[in-house]
Amino acid sequence: MSLLRSAATVSGLTLLSRITGLIRDILIARTFGASPLTDAFWVAFRIPNLLRRLFAEGAFSQAFVPILGEQKETRSQQEVKTLLDHVALVLFVTLFAITVIGIVAAPIVVWIMASGMHEKGEAFTDAVQMTRIMFPYILCMSLVAFASGVLNTWRKFAIPAFTPVLLNLSMIGASIFLAPYFAQPIYALAVGVVIGGILQLTVQWAALAKIGVLPSFRHRIGTAWKNPEVRRIIKLMGPATLGVSVAQISLLINTNIATWLPSGSVTWLSFADRLMEFPTALLGVALGTVLLPSLAAAHAKNDTQNYSRLMDWGLRLVFLLGLPCVIGLGLLGGGLVASLFNYGAFSHQDTLQTQAAVTTYAIGLIGMLAVKILAPAFYAKQDIRTPVKIAIFVLVCTQLMNIVFVPLFQHAGLTLSVSLGATINALFLYIGLRRKQLYIPQQGIGTFLLRVLPALLALAAWLYFSQQYIDWSMQATDSLNYWLSTQMQGIISWGGMPAIARLICLFGVLLGSLLVYFAVLFACGFRPKDFARQR
């Protein structure tokens, strides 16, 4: 199977996850709006969600997968199984202890994440209680991350890409069926998060059993801890957490800063982050997931030429598919936010504030995507020092930019700093790869970008002109009959259209964008077979 097909499989299932996540957030926005209580939930949810990204998409995978791939190629099946047993045991014991400490120290954890919320009384108390409810989710997700790393190494990409859907469905079900039984209905979402974690773990561990690598906990923790390969993984995880996930660390700091800004800021950032997860997960995470095992294999064989070709393949796809996303988020951000969230308790002002965050996020999208390709290039070769140095520098730069941008742009200043920081991170990672001669790009990147340019210009023109007769600024009415009667009277008020009509318009604009962009790409000579790299 080609890498493109594997990436498409991961991307397609991730799209399903993001769609269900979007439905979840639309339901939350319509029901609860942007208030101190929803800010409390998003702060509490961001703690396990942050660790999910650090583990499932960051430090653990980057440290564990290359070593596991190396062991799979050079050791016997029994030795690999013993390594899996030891890693799972150490991971479980460590995260169980962290979970217990986290539940007890929840007030401190929330204060670190959102110190400004302490001044808002009940919101802080609610955040603490929901954090305690959700902390066991971290234990579930650590073991899910372990299972994902194993399945991806065995080239079983579908299950890890699908299981996040279970979390979203669980939260949707909890908000509909459990909320009436809580004095504070939003607490039902916290319960749904834990149920979703258990469901994900059950499905992925069943997949491990199917391929015969389900870990056993029969070993002693002391023996597992002394395993030299376990020690190597632990040694790599510390700096990898900073090196790969600098954007997430910045988000953690930014969440704290946002709690000092006007009420609703955390919620606006959370919904903007949800929209940004579509391109970053569908493209960046998908490519990084399928590339890492192949890069590690190329390194194990000392195949420098194939290593560089894999990197070229990933980066060109980032530009080919990432640049239209930048244009789309920049020119259609208002339509996306209004169509998806501007209902019920989520006001027009909330829509404008969320749109500002989306627009400034889009500035750094290419950098965010490129990091997902460039960072694994270092970790596949087990080079930790270079990304760490870059990450520390970028983290400092991001916070210095916050000092300048937050007073000027409030919450949008936070997202602008993250965007510029991600761009700096990607640039320095690229320079580091070139200086160490780990990556030697193929010729023709300039010609490649020039061939993409006409499609980008056509897309921008389509988005501009297609929205000339659509006003996204007014909150949608729930009355289809009223809206139709105004149209018959000659009153063109697209912004007041009912929800279904607004979504149909958004779908039409997006579908037209796809057709325009890929039709022009085809006219410029691009074909799918050009990107169908084999492992």
Side-chain angles (χ1 to χ4, degrees):
M1 183 186 292
S2 72
L3 282 177
L4 183 61
R5 184 177 298 177
S6 295
T9 298
V10 174
S11 185
L13 291 171
T14 303
L15 176 61
L16 178 62
S17 169
R18 293 305 181 258
I19 289 174
T20 54
L22 191 59
I23 294 171
R24 177 198 77 190
D25 287 353
I26 291 171
L27 182 62
I28 294 172
R30 188 179 185 112
T31 305
F32 302 104
S35 67
L37 190 59
T38 50
D39 280 358
F41 169 75
W42 289 118
V43 166
F45 183 50
R46 185 155 288 185
I47 296 169
N49 209 33
L50 173 67
L51 291 181
R52 173 187 65 81
R53 292 177 179 178
L54 291 177
F55 277 93
E57 299 165 8
F60 182 77
S61 294
Q62 303 298 351
F64 177 55
V65 172
I67 292 176
L68 178 61
E70 175 188 285
Q71 297 294 303
K72 183 173 180 286
E73 294 291 330
T74 59
R75 300 294 179 90
S76 68
Q77 183 176 354
Q78 184 56 47
E79 288 175 313
V80 173
K81 180 62 168 58
T82 300
L83 173 62
L84 294 178
D85 292 347
H86 287 173
V87 172
L89 180 58
V90 170
L91 197 61
F92 175 80
V93 171
T94 302
L95 269 295
F96 182 82
I98 291 174
T99 299
V100 173
I101 294 170
I103 291 173
V104 173
I108 299 174
V109 175
V110 173
W111 185 86
I112 292 172
M113 282 284 294
S115 58
M117 192 164 282
H118 192 269
E119 306 296 324
K120 299 177 181 179
E122 291 186 7
F124 181 82
T125 302
D126 289 325
V128 169
Q129 294 302 321
M130 285 188 280
T131 296
R132 284 177 168 151
I133 293 171
M134 287 189 280
F135 234 102
Y137 177 75
I138 296 172
L139 177 59
C140 292
M141 288 311 299
S142 67
L143 297 175
V144 167
F146 166 85
S148 296
V150 176
L151 292 169
N152 288 336
T153 301
W154 263 255
R155 302 296 199 272
K156 306 294 184 181
F157 297 112
I159 294 296
F162 167 75
T163 49
V165 173
L166 299 175
L167 171 65
N168 297 326
L169 293 178
S170 176
M171 292 178 68
I172 291 170
S175 65
I176 296 173
F177 300 110
L178 295 183
Y181 297 97
F182 287 82
Q184 287 285 12
I186 203 168
Y187 276 53
L189 294 176
V191 175
V193 168
V194 177
I195 295 173
I198 295 171
L199 291 175
Q200 290 182 78
L201 181 59
T202 302
V203 170
Q204 290 215 20
W205 279 55
L208 292 182
K210 187 175 182 180
I211 61 176
V213 291
L214 183 68
S216 169
F217 292 97
R218 58 185 173 81
H219 301 275
R220 293 184 176 181
I221 184 63
T223 303
W225 185 263
K226 292 178 182 178
N227 187 312
E229 302 308 325
V230 172
R231 292 293 188 93
R232 284 177 64 197
I233 293 170
I234 294 172
K235 185 178 179 180
L236 287 173
M237 276 189 65
T241 300
L242 182 59
V244 180
S245 305
V246 63
Q248 301 307 318
I249 294 171
S250 293
L251 280 175
L252 186 151
I253 297 172
N254 287 356
T255 299
N256 196 324
I257 296 173
T259 60
W260 292 92
L261 299 176
S263 294
S265 293
V266 176
T267 301
W268 301 328
L269 290 173
S270 296
F271 287 153
D273 190 43
R274 166 59 60 185
L275 288 178
M276 287 300 297
E277 282 183 355
F278 273 85
T280 55
L282 297 183
L283 184 55
V285 174
L287 289 176
T289 297
V290 301
L291 271 178
L292 182 57
S294 297
L295 289 171
H299 170 63
K301 298 174 183 177
N302 199 27
D303 190 349
T304 304
Q305 187 176 19
N306 187 44
Y307 186 92
S308 291
R309 287 176 178 172
L310 287 166
M311 289 294 298
D312 249 12
W313 176 82
L315 289 174
R316 291 191 181 210
L317 277 177
V318 163
F319 286 112
L320 186 74
L321 301 177
L323 287 172
C325 292
V326 173
I327 293 174
L329 289 169
L331 296 181
L332 191 58
L336 287 167
V337 175
S339 298
L340 298 174
F341 301 120
N342 188 201
Y343 307 103
F346 200 84
S347 68
H348 173 55
Q349 178 65 18
D350 295 328
T351 300
L352 293 178
Q353 299 295 347
T354 305
Q355 178 187 350
V358 170
T359 302
T360 47
Y361 258 144
I363 294 172
L365 179 59
I366 294 298
M368 296 175 191
L369 295 174
V371 167
K372 299 292 186 182
I373 307 298
L374 296 168
F378 283 98
Y379 288 96
K381 291 180 176 288
Q382 299 176 28
D383 177 0
I384 300 297
R385 295 182 62 186
T386 303
V388 166
K389 291 178 180 178
I390 294 171
I392 293 172
F393 173 75
V394 170
L395 191 60
V396 172
C397 287
T398 301
Q399 298 314 312
L400 289 175
M401 286 186 285
N402 277 340
I403 295 174
V404 177
F405 294 140
V406 172
L408 294 174
F409 307 115
Q410 297 289 292
H411 69 288
L414 295 171
T415 51
L416 179 59
S417 297
V418 169
S419 292
L420 296 178
T423 303
I424 295 170
N425 193 14
L427 180 62
F428 277 69
L429 286 170
Y430 176 80
I431 293 172
L433 286 172
R434 295 298 308 276
R435 284 184 175 175
K436 290 177 174 289
Q437 296 186 332
L438 300 176
Y439 166 47
I440 303 173
Q442 294 177 314
Q443 295 181 348
I445 184 64
T447 303
F448 172 84
L449 291 175
L450 285 175
R451 291 172 62 200
V452 174
L453 183 60
L456 295 173
L457 294 175
L459 174 63
W462 159 257
L463 287 173
Y464 176 78
F465 289 108
S466 65
Q467 296 182 85
Q468 292 302 300
Y469 301 100
I470 302 177
D471 176 14
W472 307 105
S473 64
M474 294 175 60
Q475 188 166 12
T477 176
D478 290 328
S479 173
L480 179 61
N481 290 334
Y482 173 77
W483 180 74
L484 288 174
S485 68
T486 61
Q487 308 314 304
M488 293 176 65
Q489 296 170 17
I491 304 172
I492 306 300
S493 180
W494 288 96
M497 70 179 77
I500 186 64
R502 178 185 272 179
L503 290 172
I504 289 173
C505 285
L506 178 63
F507 177 78
V509 173
L510 290 174
L511 180 61
S513 299
L514 287 173
L515 294 175
V516 168
Y517 183 69
F518 285 104
V520 178
L521 282 181
F522 189 86
C524 292
F526 286 98
R527 299 294 185 272
K529 65 179 181 180
D530 298 335
F531 297 92
R533 266 207 63 83
Q534 300 293 323
R535 294 190 181 92

